[in-house]
Amino acid sequence: MTRYLVLLGPPGVGKGTQAKILSERTGLAHISSGDLFRENLKNQTELGKMAQTYMSRGELVPDDVTIAMIRQRLSRPDCAVGAILDGFPRTPAQADALDAMLQEFKGCVDAVPFITAAEDVLVERLSGRWTCRAHGHIFNEKFNPPQKTGVCDFDGSELYQRDDDKAETVKRRIHVYLEQTSPLIAYYRDQGKLIEIDGMHSIEQVSQSLLTALKMQSS
Ligand code: AMP
């Protein structure tokens, strides 16, 4: 059965970590809009260069380019079984565009897990976050350290700290989330699709809550 899930929650709550785990355990494709922008930036594409201005300020990339990028990604064959959307939609216009897009693919947003955590925890998690260069695996120097400092446990690639994980930019990103993305909580609650998940527990506990709430078997 094709399933499309939207992971909602503030920056630093663990959407990326949980989306990776859910994708591995369910076989659904993982689509991270932030990763797609970072990949474009690494490859110095026109899209990447344009997005960089917004990303470095902690602001949102304009809706039209973001929507076009996601449409292209959703058309790829690995999404035929469905997808976990992480970081998209982030505005009501993006959510409307997603509904229209999925109609074209004869699907719809099935469920929206909304992961929550206290704001001071978000700042602490983001400022201690280390990301793997090769595949975006995520570690935290305090809560989920790699076995060897600076090296990814999964693929041995270098770990780096994202520019936008610096304290000032983190605060801006949380502000942007509250202003532009939080209206989506009501949007999906009104559709009866929102499932609240407490993100203040361990990574494994949160994954289990997600799988149980979504009534999905771990493979
Ligand atoms: P993330 O990795 O999800 O924290 O995203 C990093 C940055 O990429 C964000 O701060 C935005 O600048 C940009 N970005 C990611 N997803 C979106 C989106 N859906 N709409 C607009 N900008 C986005």
Side-chain angles (χ1 to χ4, degrees):
M1 187 180 71
T2 313
R3 282 191 93 173
Y4 295 101
L5 308 175
V6 167
L7 280 193
L8 206 58
V13 82
K15 295 188 299 296
T17 302
Q18 294 299 336
K20 272 197 164 37
I21 296 173
L22 270 186
S23 164
E24 277 159 20
R25 296 191 188 171
T26 63
L28 297 176
H30 172 201
I31 301 183
S32 156
S33 44
D35 283 354
L36 290 172
F37 283 130
R38 281 184 287 279
E39 207 175 287
N40 274 281
L41 187 59
K42 192 164 83 179
N43 297 330
Q44 284 293 293
T45 67
E46 285 309 311
L47 174 66
K49 286 185 218 164
M50 190 278 289
Q52 183 179 25
T53 331
Y54 298 94
M55 293 170 80
S56 61
R57 291 199 293 249
E59 286 167 10
L60 296 186
V61 179
D63 281 339
D64 53 346
V65 267
T66 306
I67 292 165
M69 177 180 78
I70 294 292
R71 172 190 293 279
Q72 213 177 44
R73 178 66 188 88
L74 274 170
S75 314
R76 298 226 306 246
D78 65 326
C79 296
V81 288
I84 301 161
L85 289 145
D86 153 22
F88 181 92
R90 253 172 157 103
T91 63
Q94 292 181 11
D96 287 339
L98 177 64
D99 286 344
M101 251 184 257
L102 293 184
Q103 255 181 15
E104 281 173 39
F105 297 123
K106 308 263 179 285
C108 64
V109 172
D110 293 281
V112 182
F114 167 43
I115 313 179
T116 58
E119 191 170 325
D120 53 338
V121 173
L122 302 176
V123 176
E124 200 178 18
R125 284 189 187 170
L126 288 170
S127 47
R129 177 158 81 174
W130 290 81
T131 306
C132 124
R133 274 218 197 272
H135 300 105
H137 293 113
I138 299 161
F139 298 87
N140 184 287
E141 58 194 27
K142 193 162 156 194
F143 307 108
N144 175 33
Q147 280 168 15
K148 193 166 163 217
T149 307
V151 181
C152 177
D153 287 355
F154 301 100
D155 54 38
S157 80
E158 182 202 8
L159 299 178
Y160 74 102
Q161 280 196 294
R162 278 170 47 175
D163 277 349
D164 60 351
D165 281 346
K166 292 189 185 115
E168 272 319 298
T169 319
V170 161
K171 284 189 196 134
R172 176 87 195 125
R173 286 163 61 203
I174 294 173
H175 177 80
V176 166
Y177 164 81
L178 293 172
E179 211 172 58
Q180 301 190 51
T181 307
S182 67
L184 295 185
I185 300 166
Y187 179 93
Y188 287 118
R189 185 180 281 129
D190 289 348
Q191 295 182 13
K193 294 178 177 170
L194 201 79
I195 305 170
E196 281 201 42
I197 302 282
D198 184 354
M200 299 284 276
H201 300 291
S202 71
I203 292 173
E204 184 53 34
Q205 280 170 321
V206 176
S207 308
Q208 283 309 324
S209 307
L210 278 165
L211 286 165
T212 308
L214 295 166
K215 298 187 179 60
M216 291 177 113
Q217 296 289 325
S218 179
S219 55

